[in-house]
Amino acid sequence: MSSVRAPSWQTGKAIAIAGLLWGAAGSYATARAGVPDAAPTEPPAAAPDRDAAMPPTTDDGEHRQRLPTDGAMPPSEYMPRRRKPPRNDDAPMPPRESPRYRSAAPTASNQAMPPQAYRRTAARRRPSVPAWLRHHAPSGASVEMSLVSGALFPSRAHELYDGRAQFLALAPAAATIGGRIDFFALPWFGFEIEGVAMPTRVRRGARVLLAGLRGGVVLRLPWRLAPLLAGGIGALAVSSSPDVLGDDVDESFHIGGGLQFFATRLVMVRLDVRDNITHRRGVGGAPAHHAELLLAVGVRFGASIGDTPRPTPSAVPRDTDGDRVADAFDHCPAHPGTVPHGCPLADRDGDGFPDRVDACPDAVGIAPEGCPPPNDDDGDGLVGADDRCPSMRGSALDDGCPAAELPTRAANEVGPGLAELEGVLVGVAFDSGTLALTPTARATLSRLADALQRSPGVRVEVVGHTDDRGSDDANRTLSTGRATAVVRALVDRGVAADRLVARGAAGDEPIASNATAEGRATNRRVELVILRDE
């Protein structure tokens, strides 16, 4: 028979703690459900009947479903839960004495940041370079050639001497002169090579010539005033008589920094401070350091140096009609138009509203949609009692009746109104560089159409003129197009097309000097010529 081991006191303690936690969780769940913690004083009800009616619903039609195993449902069980009211940001703030005022009051932490603040914050985060630092800034694929001068401060422990000669210390400083060539593949990275000569003396007084040849790389900021770092390898040599230092060459390393300033697109100045490292006299010693100060003045070459070059005339795209839309993108390259397609705005009825915005493109209309006024069936701009011929399109000067309804003149008789309009048509103008008539031209064209209708047997010629600016072909195309636009407007106003002739004279018939702006404006005109039988 097996024995059962009694649980230890640690196990009992764990069971007790688990029971306490389980009881606390049950109490919390009961409180959340709205059930009172205390037991009811009245005796428990009998077991519920499955066929018993459900508890009454609340006013909003909601109730809790009761399970068959549940006992009597207290009133708090089938009362609807209180819903959290929806948030209304436009509701007024609670009074200051309310306990909710502190949480509802707007603070710097819960207020929304406006979009402008976001943009300003982003702009502050982006580092910006001042304009004067971008001006004449270096660019890639450029070559710089410089003259170099400065001073070398040799080390007292140098090894620049022939082993067969004696060691002599060099003078504290030596003048430096030479040249340098730099190639910058990128605005901030380049290669350089330089050669320098440094005439000096030994401390005993004999003349010595030092020379250096070195190459390396340069890192700099691509600004007009550019800090830089330079380093590389090379050789440092000495040349003198055998009884002084003899001839010797030592490899060298150099590293340093400086500052470069681009005064113009071509001229720049550079200042370097370097440390030239060579062998030290003796065996196993530390390197010898030769300080050097260099000043260089030079020029730079390259296709894209400094500022952006201006386009050459050959790079300017061709624009035949002069409407500022290049021929490569112009759908009407021979006729001045508007952006983006370069075609003139069509206006079939000549009411000043282009067809693309005119709700009635075939009838003379008024603002805002370009349609005739209400009850104007014939589209002549007159309605009601003012229109004597409401079913026929006429003119405002003849009470809305066409010329056929008026007393006719002789076949070739020129009426007084038409004779007065012969010559320059004052007020007939076009938008700059286009074939679109201005709104001020409508009154003149309506008066001209009425005069032509009173002289039915007269033929006229409409001549367009330009100044001498631009090519002759473009001016002839423009003048012909404008004369045709006037003829089309007259036809839309009831004038027979076989009585009208359009001609473009370009700039061949000036009436003023093209040397001044006023004269050129006078030459840009539209003329009416009455074709009389000879």
Side-chain angles (χ1 to χ4, degrees):
M1 182 175 178
S2 60
S3 61
V4 179
R5 185 178 180 182
S8 62
W9 68 271
Q10 291 91 347
T11 304
K13 183 178 180 181
I15 294 174
I17 293 175
L20 290 175
L21 293 176
W22 182 266
S27 300
Y28 177 74
T30 303
R32 291 282 294 178
V35 179
D37 293 337
T41 56
E42 59 272 7
D49 187 3
R50 293 180 180 270
D51 299 330
M54 293 294 292
T57 60
T58 59
D59 293 339
D60 56 358
E62 293 183 1
H63 61 79
R64 258 192 181 179
Q65 183 179 4
R66 186 177 59 178
L67 299 178
T69 56
D70 293 340
M73 184 180 294
S76 59
E77 282 294 315
Y78 57 81
M79 290 296 291
R81 291 187 180 182
R82 295 182 59 187
R83 292 187 175 88
K84 186 177 181 180
R87 179 177 177 179
N88 185 8
D89 294 335
D90 298 331
M93 293 289 293
R96 290 180 179 271
E97 57 272 11
S98 170
R100 294 174 50 236
Y101 179 80
R102 177 183 294 272
S103 61
T107 62
S109 60
N110 61 19
Q111 288 184 0
M113 184 179 296
Q116 296 84 356
Y118 282 115
R119 289 194 291 268
R120 289 195 297 268
T121 304
R124 286 196 297 267
R125 291 175 180 173
R126 291 194 298 265
S128 60
V129 180
W132 71 272
L133 280 179
R134 297 193 302 268
H135 192 54
H136 300 320
S139 59
S142 62
V143 177
E144 301 174 3
M145 302 181 65
S146 310
L147 293 178
V148 180
S149 62
L152 177 73
F153 305 94
S155 171
R156 296 177 60 91
H158 69 86
E159 199 184 33
L160 296 171
Y161 66 96
D162 191 351
R164 294 169 294 181
Q166 57 180 336
F167 168 79
L168 295 174
L170 295 170
T176 302
I177 186 171
R180 177 191 299 148
I181 298 178
D182 295 79
F183 172 71
F184 282 88
L186 300 173
W188 54 271
F189 177 78
F191 303 91
E192 69 178 7
I193 184 172
E194 64 183 15
V196 293
M198 296 161 280
T200 183
R201 296 175 179 271
V202 295
R203 292 185 182 272
R204 197 172 62 178
R207 292 182 179 276
V208 173
L209 177 63
L210 299 179
L213 180 66
R214 50 210 173 193
V217 297
V218 181
L219 300 176
R220 69 183 179 190
L221 291 178
W223 297 343
R224 185 181 187 184
L225 184 62
L228 59 88
L229 295 174
I233 60 175
L236 190 61
V238 61
S239 178
S240 64
S241 59
D243 58 341
V244 182
L245 293 176
D247 297 331
D248 188 25
V249 178
D250 286 351
E251 62 271 18
S252 66
F253 302 88
H254 68 275
I255 187 171
L259 197 63
Q260 191 172 23
F261 176 70
F262 295 90
T264 66
R265 292 180 61 248
L266 299 177
V267 180
M268 54 86 183
V269 181
R270 174 174 160 181
L271 179 66
D272 286 74
V273 177
R274 295 185 179 180
D275 181 16
N276 295 280
I277 305 171
T278 62
H279 294 292
R280 188 181 183 89
R281 184 165 64 95
V283 178
H289 298 273
H290 311 272
E292 188 174 20
L293 179 65
L294 296 176
L295 177 66
V297 178
V299 295
R300 55 178 174 166
F301 306 93
S304 59
I305 60 175
D307 300 333
T308 303
R310 296 181 179 178
T312 59
S314 59
V316 177
R318 185 177 181 182
D319 184 13
T320 303
D321 51 12
D323 58 0
R324 297 186 179 182
V325 179
D327 289 353
F329 306 98
D330 198 337
H331 293 186
C332 305
H335 303 280
T338 58
V339 177
H341 301 299
C343 288
L345 296 177
D347 185 13
R348 295 196 299 270
D349 53 9
D351 58 359
F353 297 92
D355 291 348
R356 62 182 178 86
V357 297
D358 196 340
C360 304
D362 296 317
V364 179
I366 60 175
E369 297 180 350
C371 288
N375 303 322
D376 184 14
D377 298 331
D378 53 4
D380 57 5
L382 295 176
V383 295
D386 296 333
D387 194 346
R388 290 174 49 196
C389 304
S391 60
M392 293 179 288
R393 182 173 179 176
S395 64
L397 298 179
D398 297 321
D399 297 332
C401 290
E405 299 297 323
L406 300 175
T408 59
R409 299 180 181 273
N412 294 327
E413 184 180 354
V414 179
L418 183 60
E420 294 174 358
L421 291 174
E422 186 176 13
V424 178
L425 293 176
V426 180
V428 177
F430 296 83
D431 293 335
S432 177
T434 69
L435 302 180
L437 287 161
T438 60
T440 58
R442 286 181 290 174
T444 302
L445 293 178
S446 297
R447 191 164 62 252
L448 176 58
D450 296 337
L452 287 170
Q453 289 174 351
R454 287 192 294 267
S455 303
V458 179
R459 298 176 67 249
V460 297
E461 182 183 38
V462 179
V463 186
H465 299 270
T466 65
D467 55 25
D468 62 347
R469 294 294 180 91
S471 64
D472 185 67
D473 293 340
N475 288 336
R476 193 166 304 280
T477 301
L478 179 61
S479 61
T480 302
R482 289 181 171 178
T484 304
V486 173
V487 170
R488 188 184 303 115
L490 293 175
V491 172
D492 292 340
R493 284 167 171 78
V495 181
D498 56 357
R499 300 175 55 197
L500 304 172
V501 178
R503 180 172 68 88
D508 299 339
E509 302 173 12
I511 60 175
S513 174
N514 283 307
T516 62
E518 293 80 4
R520 291 191 295 272
T522 303
N523 290 331
R524 295 190 294 270
R525 68 198 187 278
V526 177
E527 289 184 342
L528 178 71
V529 179
I530 299 176
L531 301 177
R532 295 176 173 85
D533 295 335
E534 298 181 357

